[in-house]
């Protein structure tokens, strides 16, 4: 699946559709996480990267998560854009 196709996926999926995490980068990190809050943050970041919103609260949350996880944010971005 190309990055542009992933970006166009709606955040809320119909039943039977592919479920998060969508990117290999997030999937890999979640394997080692045993904290539901951190898991929620990373899934939020992935969803926001796929479908950004202009809502101030969501934008600030995504920005904080990106600052705390710059390597992961870069990997998500590259994967969604179709770069290795």
């Amino acid at each position: 699946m190309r990055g542009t196709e992933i970006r166009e996926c709606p955040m809320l999926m119909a039943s039977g559709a592919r479920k998060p995490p969508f990117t290999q980068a997030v999937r890999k990190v979640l394997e080692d996480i045993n904290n539901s809050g951190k898991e929620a943050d990373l899934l939020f970041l992935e969803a926001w990267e796929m479908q950004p919103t202009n809502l101030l609260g969501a934008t600030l949350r995504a920005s904080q998560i990106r600052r705390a996880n710059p390597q992961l944010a870069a990997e998500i971005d590259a994967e969604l854009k179709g770069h290795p």
Side-chain angles (χ1 to χ4, degrees):
M1 189 177 242
R2 287 184 13 242
T4 55
E5 293 168 339
I6 292 174
R7 280 198 183 272
E8 294 170 2
C9 291
M11 287 175 79
L12 300 174
M13 305 295 291
S15 67
R18 200 169 133 197
K19 298 195 186 317
F22 295 100
T23 61
Q24 184 63 36
V26 173
R27 236 179 265 124
K28 183 175 70 174
V29 171
L30 289 180
E31 289 175 0
D32 299 327
I33 291 181
N34 192 17
N35 178 313
S36 61
K38 179 127 177 149
E39 179 179 343
D41 283 348
L42 298 182
L43 291 172
F44 176 85
L45 176 62
E46 181 186 58
W48 190 88
E49 291 289 345
M50 290 170 45
Q51 198 169 44
T53 177
N54 291 331
L55 298 174
L56 181 58
T59 302
L60 288 173
R61 182 178 179 198
S63 177
Q64 288 176 328
I65 299 167
R66 286 178 65 85
R67 272 197 307 273
N69 302 279
Q71 177 71 31
L72 177 62
E75 289 175 15
I76 293 170
D77 189 52
E79 193 171 334
L80 292 175
K81 289 179 178 175
H83 299 97

